[in-house]
Amino acid sequence: MRHIISILLENEAGALSRVSGLFSARGYNIESLTVAPTEDSTLSRMTIVTAGSDEIIEQIVKQLNKLVDVVKLQELTEGAHIERELMLTKVKATGDAREEIKRLVDIFRGRIIDVTDSTYTLELTGTVEKLDAFVKALDMTEIIEVVRSGATGIARGERALSL
Amino acid sequence: MELTGADIVVKCLQDEGIEYIFGYPGGAALHIYDALYRQDKVKHILVRHEQGASHAADGYARATGKPGVVLVTSGPGITNAVTGIATAYMDSAPLVVISGQVPTHLIGDDAFQEVDAVGITRPCVKHNFLVKDVRDLATTMKKAFFVATSGRPGPVLVDIPKDITAEKTEYIYPRSVSMRSYAPVKRGHPKQIKKAVDLLLNARRPIVYAGGGVVLADAEDALREMVRLLGYPCTNTLMGLGAYPHDDPLFLGMLGMHGTYEANMAMHGCDVMLAVGARFDDRITGDLSKFSPFAKIIHVDVDPSSIGKNVKVEIPIVGDAKSVLEDLVRELKARAAAINQGQTKQWWQQIDEWRGINCLAYDQKSEKIKPQYVIEKLHQITNGDAFVTSDVGQHQMWAAQFYGFGKTRRWINSGGLGTMGFGLPAAMGVQIAYPDDLVCCITGEASIIMCIQELSTCKQYDLPVKIINLNNRYMGMVRQWQEFFYDRRYSHSYMDALPDFVALSESFGHRGILVDQPADVEGALIEAFAMKDQLVFLDFITDQAENVYPMIAAGKGHNEMHLHPGSGEPPQERELA
Ligand SMILES: Cc1ncc(C[n+]2csc(CCOP(=O)(O)OP(=O)(O)O)c2C)c(N)n1
């Protein structure tokens, strides 16, 4: 099963490598990992998307909690939550394709953020499935590059991960 | 008053009450060494190889329960120490390792003797720090001691760039530190304690399986009281030996790969298992799919990640072994009327039947020295009261099976990592902590050579360790596996070109005794122990063909042990009541 784990981490050198090292040393799977500072400069927020049986996820959570740099942790997928990922795509856009891509971007509520004579750069935010669907819909188009941020997320309602 | 970083490091050690540190100097650590020179509170033991420093500090820590401290230089200093750090990590020994680092402005430049110490040690420390500002130094040192010694203990590295040890700041050593991201649990949850007692009181075929966590938490008294209250059988892991006295009728001996027949059979047949401070390591469980098929398991551990890692647990209790065992005792006493020892009568009958075979049998009439005999004699002569360290191999298993421990912190061995070379430096650490006690290092001719240089340290500091070398001219444990599982193809396990150990020890200024007749074993031990202020190297030429029994081979269950032919017929399997 796919799980999203949100972590508040001490914003210290080496903290990221402790987390990533844990995953590689114990053979856990990482689909994506994002990390950035928060409004509190001593904390970073990390989102890890992983997959595994319930036992493995339980171990991952325990092992993460055991890391001294992990301040707090929440398994987002345990409750209602919102998940978003940002994707930037550069595509070949010439002739009729220019209109077609524009329509597609509208349907997916994306934006064209950069234009040249022969290319578009597209921005799209959404769940992982939505981004996957968009890439699939672009199948007639020549994709030059795709950049995905990895998923981030937040719990719905009152539930929050904060100190 | 303003102090340099180097003086701060030493002050912190003093204020932490550290008496001994184990180390080896080098460029990046020289300011700290200079600060050591200018004081005499913290005594520095100069080892001969940094691996020796981390093992010695580890031995000191395990024997005393206090943190062991290591000081090494950058680059090769810290890489040499890593084996000892990983050894301590696997067995949860509290170490604080201070390493010099190249100056801050050179970090990342591939400077002379630079390695990424924090990166290299990350997977084998409980935590580590790189100090980047002298103003953080004292607090970091305090945190290092706090993390190393609390919760599930372990090694912590503090890497200090050379320039930081030269810079000055005001010295304040915090009396305590709190870390928002680190708060080990102490007490077990009262509800879980009650549930555990419910289950224990209803057991028909109970077993208490206690490991190194009981030793680390100094929980042996509580364990003994609980086991005796219930009258239940108890087994110890390799790391837990001494937690329950070897000669108590409720004790089944060690369990696991080379554990006793009765302990392993009881583990297999039990209906309720209380695991305390033990982690269901693969050397304990054998094939997990065959492990204790009828058992409901209560698992007490201070480290939540140990619980449910390898086996499914009915009642998890996160907490310090001592506190939880004391709570269990209290709850049991409150419900004393419900303790019905008659309930386990049939189980005890079954256990006694298992005990009927002699699973630790060996040939008593051999003309060659049997290693088991040496350990039995050692037990007799020392009244089972010596500190015993060991290396890794057959001798380690025989020491565990035959020495017979009555107290904790007396049996000091590398169980988790299985590090050959551990025994001698660990014995040094123990001897430094207990200068008047008898410290024996049980070793093999292959293991002892791995840290033989420490004979020189023993000379310098007058450490009268007694080395019991069970010399079978083979990496015996490797040879045993090759005999059993590789059709006797003894690939590279013969120890060719061995030194003359007696002459070797004498060249270091010690005494050596060669023993090659069974009749001389006892006399040699007595003679060696009479030399109270000498290190004596006893080189016992033992039977090369001897194997460690019983044995659970890979992929087998606890009820599928390989027994010594002299053990007698195992009782017929029968339906468990
Ligand atoms: C550093 C290290 N290298 C290799 C091993 C693998 N190993 C385990 S036991 C053993 C043989 C030990 O031989 P010896 O010290 O003579 O003891 P014996 O088994 O003969 O009692 C070896 C090589 C190890 N445990 N540690």
Side-chain angles (χ1 to χ4, degrees):
Chain A
M1 244 263 284
R2 180 170 175 274
H3 287 254
I4 306 176
I5 301 170
S6 279
I7 304 170
L8 285 177
L9 200 63
E10 294 288 0
N11 189 4
E12 271 175 25
L16 170 62
S17 67
R18 284 183 218 283
V19 175
S20 59
L22 172 73
F23 276 75
S24 63
R26 295 195 182 262
Y28 304 142
N29 157 331
I30 297 188
E31 190 176 294
S32 70
L33 183 156
T34 73
V35 60
T38 66
E39 79 290 357
D40 173 348
S41 65
T42 67
L43 286 174
S44 319
R45 170 111 176 195
M46 182 182 272
T47 310
I48 298 178
V49 181
T50 182
S53 64
D54 289 353
E55 291 79 39
I56 288 175
I57 299 298
E58 184 187 325
Q59 260 302 306
I60 291 177
V61 167
K62 284 175 167 175
Q63 292 291 348
L64 284 168
N65 268 317
K66 193 163 142 182
L67 293 177
V68 170
D69 283 336
V70 169
V71 183
K72 221 170 169 189
L73 175 158
Q74 183 182 50
E75 215 187 310
L76 277 187
T77 24
E78 262 184 358
H81 64 280
I82 297 157
E83 178 190 333
R84 289 288 181 275
E85 180 171 1
L86 170 71
M87 177 167 74
L88 302 176
T89 319
K90 188 169 289 177
V91 292
K92 197 132 215 126
T94 46
D96 291 347
R98 284 180 91 84
E99 263 315 298
E100 232 172 85
I101 293 168
K102 201 160 168 298
R103 258 200 311 274
L104 196 64
V105 168
D106 282 342
I107 294 169
F108 277 84
R109 295 178 198 279
R111 294 196 300 155
I112 297 172
I113 53 173
D114 190 41
V115 181
T116 70
D117 285 349
S118 58
T119 66
Y120 279 157
T121 300
L122 317 174
E123 175 193 313
L124 187 66
T125 320
T127 62
V128 170
E129 294 79 46
K130 175 176 161 182
L131 303 192
D132 288 346
F134 181 67
V135 173
K136 218 163 160 208
L138 281 174
D139 67 341
M140 301 305 284
T141 316
E142 192 179 324
I143 297 176
I144 301 167
E145 56 182 316
V146 172
V147 187
R148 295 175 69 150
S149 66
T152 59
I154 196 162
R156 278 192 189 276
E158 308 272 297
R159 201 161 72 106
L161 178 64
S162 59
L163 292 190
Chain B
M1 201 182 67
E2 294 224 316
L3 295 181
T4 65
D7 284 311
I8 289 175
V9 170
V10 175
K11 273 298 263 166
C12 290
L13 296 176
Q14 292 176 355
D15 288 345
E16 196 61 40
I18 300 302
E19 242 182 299
Y20 292 100
I21 68 173
F22 301 85
Y24 206 96
L30 283 185
H31 293 326
I32 304 176
Y33 270 86
D34 192 55
L36 278 172
Y37 188 82
R38 289 182 271 103
Q39 57 88 54
D40 53 13
K41 271 202 192 141
V42 177
K43 293 174 210 68
H44 178 272
I45 305 295
L46 176 67
V47 295
R48 299 299 184 264
H49 183 294
E50 290 86 350
Q51 181 182 353
S54 38
H55 289 328
D58 186 346
Y60 178 91
R62 296 191 204 202
T64 60
K66 295 190 268 189
V69 180
V70 178
L71 173 60
V72 294
T73 191
S74 66
I78 182 63
T79 55
N80 271 351
V82 166
T83 298
I85 296 172
T87 302
Y89 180 68
M90 289 295 277
D91 291 341
S92 309
L95 286 196
V96 171
V97 181
I98 301 161
S99 52
Q101 180 54 283
V102 301
T104 317
H105 70 275
L106 289 180
I107 290 181
D109 274 6
D110 299 324
F112 176 62
Q113 293 195 327
E114 179 186 2
V115 293
D116 174 8
V118 163
I120 283 179
T121 58
R122 197 187 57 234
C124 62
V125 292
K126 186 169 169 187
H127 196 56
N128 56 22
F129 299 95
L130 171 64
V131 181
K132 289 191 185 138
D133 185 330
V134 71
R135 286 167 300 180
D136 297 336
L137 184 52
T139 315
T140 305
M141 290 290 289
K142 184 74 207 178
K143 282 184 184 169
F145 279 102
F146 172 54
V147 172
T149 55
S150 56
R152 178 178 180 174
V156 176
L157 175 89
V158 184
D159 196 33
I160 315 176
K162 189 169 186 179
D163 53 323
I164 304 285
T165 61
E167 280 166 22
K168 285 187 165 184
T169 192
E170 196 71 31
Y171 171 70
I172 305 163
Y173 195 58
R175 193 126 15 103
S176 64
V177 280
S178 73
M179 296 163 74
R180 63 179 172 185
S181 56
Y182 176 74
V185 179
K186 192 139 179 93
R187 301 276 317 251
H189 198 287
K191 248 202 202 145
Q192 297 295 90
I193 304 270
K194 282 210 163 57
K195 275 208 240 165
V197 169
D198 290 342
L199 191 57
L200 282 170
L201 289 176
N202 283 312
R204 291 283 182 281
R205 302 192 310 274
I207 190 159
V208 177
Y209 145 52
V214 172
V215 177
L216 291 165
D218 295 313
E220 64 274 16
D221 290 343
L223 172 75
R224 293 168 187 198
E225 192 177 0
M226 187 204 64
V227 170
R228 287 172 186 152
L229 262 176
L230 288 163
Y232 287 177
C234 179
T235 174
N236 285 163
T237 66
L238 177 70
M239 298 312 294
L241 291 177
Y244 202 84
H246 73 101
D247 52 359
D248 185 293
L250 301 180
F251 190 55
L252 304 188
M254 179 173 80
L255 78 160
M257 183 175 270
H258 294 297
T260 65
Y261 183 67
E262 49 270 33
N264 285 333
M265 291 301 284
M267 284 294 281
H268 185 77
C270 70
D271 68 347
V272 172
M273 180 192 300
L274 171 62
V276 192
R279 58 188 178 88
F280 297 87
D281 168 272
D282 55 282
R283 286 294 191 264
I284 291 293
T285 60
D287 185 350
L288 273 175
S289 65
K290 300 177 181 166
F291 178 71
S292 302
F294 320 106
K296 290 198 163 128
I297 299 176
I298 306 161
H299 190 182
V300 180
D301 207 294
V302 74
D303 175 2
S305 72
S306 278
I307 301 179
K309 184 170 70 180
N310 300 332
V311 299
K312 260 205 148 53
V313 169
E314 211 76 20
I315 304 179
I317 306 181
V318 178
D320 173 77
K322 185 173 178 181
S323 149
V324 173
L325 283 167
E326 285 173 351
D327 285 346
L328 287 171
V329 166
R330 210 167 296 124
E331 181 70 18
L332 280 167
K333 281 184 173 164
R335 290 157 71 179
I339 302 176
N340 170 11
Q341 300 208 355
Q343 192 170 282
T344 53
K345 210 169 138 217
Q346 271 190 314
W347 178 230
W348 273 112
Q349 277 167 1
Q350 170 68 74
I351 289 172
D352 286 338
E353 215 170 276
W354 288 327
R355 277 173 163 171
I357 69 159
N358 177 12
C359 69
L360 298 179
Y362 65 91
D363 177 8
Q364 307 266 358
K365 297 198 194 76
S366 169
E367 283 171 9
K368 296 175 182 150
I369 298 178
K370 289 290 180 179
Q372 301 94 324
Y373 174 73
V374 178
I375 314 273
E376 280 187 333
K377 278 288 159 215
L378 180 68
H379 171 89
Q380 273 175 23
I381 294 168
T382 60
N383 285 319
D385 220 22
F387 286 93
V388 177
T389 71
S390 94
D391 273 297
V392 174
Q394 292 181 316
H395 62 273
Q396 175 190 27
M397 293 301 121
W398 286 317
Q401 292 175 331
F402 288 90
Y403 187 75
F405 293 89
K407 296 179 185 161
T408 58
R409 302 195 179 277
R410 298 266 152 156
W411 164 237
I412 290 166
N413 82 122
S414 168
L417 198 66
T419 310
M420 291 169 70
F422 175 79
L424 175 58
M428 299 190 323
V430 178
Q431 190 78 75
I432 281 163
Y434 297 105
D436 301 324
D437 285 279
L438 177 61
V439 181
C440 299
C441 166
I442 296 177
T443 184
E445 75 296 335
S447 290
I448 193 67
I449 289 183
M450 286 219 178
C451 275
I452 196 76
Q453 74 286 347
E454 299 307 329
L455 284 176
S456 172
T457 312
C458 291
K459 185 65 196 169
Q460 181 173 349
Y461 298 96
D462 294 321
L463 304 175
V465 170
K466 304 295 183 281
I467 297 173
I468 317 283
N469 187 35
L470 301 177
N471 186 343
N472 53 9
R473 284 82 70 214
Y474 268 108
M475 297 173 194
M477 190 56 94
V478 174
R479 191 203 55 73
Q480 177 168 345
W481 282 57
Q482 289 170 336
E483 178 185 331
F484 288 5
F485 311 120
Y486 297 89
D487 243 345
R488 299 174 190 245
R489 289 185 299 278
Y490 298 125
S491 177
H492 300 276
S493 56
Y494 182 66
M495 290 301 288
D496 216 336
L498 281 170
D500 171 344
F501 284 108
V502 169
L504 175 89
S505 323
E506 285 172 353
S507 77
F508 277 98
H510 302 303
R511 297 291 302 273
I513 304 176
L514 179 79
V515 190
D516 56 7
Q517 295 301 320
D520 297 337
V521 168
E522 186 164 358
L525 287 167
I526 291 171
E527 183 190 346
F529 298 152
M531 293 187 250
K532 290 216 181 309
D533 44 14
Q534 283 278 348
L535 182 148
V536 185
F537 192 114
L538 286 148
D539 191 17
F540 292 99
I541 306 303
T542 59
D543 186 351
Q544 292 190 285
E546 194 60 28
N547 288 320
V548 182
Y549 293 102
M551 178 170 185
I552 302 174
K556 298 287 182 182
H558 277 163
N559 58 340
E560 301 171 298
M561 257 166 291
H562 195 45
L563 291 168
H564 186 278
S567 290
E569 271 305 301
Q572 289 250 308
E573 264 203 63
R574 60 172 181 189
E575 199 74 29
L576 293 165

